Amino acid sequence: CFGIDNSAVVVTFITKNYMEKVHQTDNRNDNVQREFFHSDRSKLMVAVPMEPGVRAPSDWFGPVAFSLAGDLYPACFANDLSDADFDHEVAKLARCIAAKIA
């Protein structure tokens, strides 16, 4: 909790697997789920989709969709990005985070 409690913004990197872990009702001891709910209760959050299948919030489900669909960062992160394109996306994300805490 220390990292979450001492952060102004929590960046959540959305994948299908992440949403499944957060959504599981029989997984209350999973740190992914616990960290998500703790962040959701106490912090500003930015959602960064990391897979083609989760780029649109309409494809999200469960608590992630409920809590984060309105805080979407329109990322273009993908495995096939060049280093320069990746650096460009990171800089855009940093500006988005700075705007959230301004």
Side-chain angles (χ1 to χ4, degrees), residues 13 47-52 54-55 72-90 92-93:
F13 295 94
V48 180
M50 297 297 289
E51 299 170 337
V54 298
R55 290 232 171 105
L72 174 68
Y73 170 75
C76 292
F77 289 102
N79 290 335
D80 59 351
L81 282 181
S82 69
D83 288 347
D85 288 341
F86 181 84
D87 290 345
H88 178 72
E89 288 300 321
V90 169
K92 284 183 2 186
L93 178 58

Side-chain angles (χ1 to χ4, degrees), residues 31-46:
N31 283 339
V32 169
Q33 187 180 72
R34 294 170 72 190
E35 290 170 359
F36 176 83
F37 286 117
H38 181 62
S39 299
D40 188 40
R41 281 190 304 274
S42 61
K43 296 296 173 181
L44 295 170
M45 295 176 74
V46 174

Side-chain angles (χ1 to χ4, degrees), residues 16-25 27 30 32-33:
K16 185 176 180 210
N17 186 53
Y18 181 83
M19 288 188 291
E20 288 170 351
K21 288 187 87 163
V22 171
H23 187 61
Q24 290 178 1
T25 57
N27 205 19
D30 186 274
V32 169
Q33 187 180 72

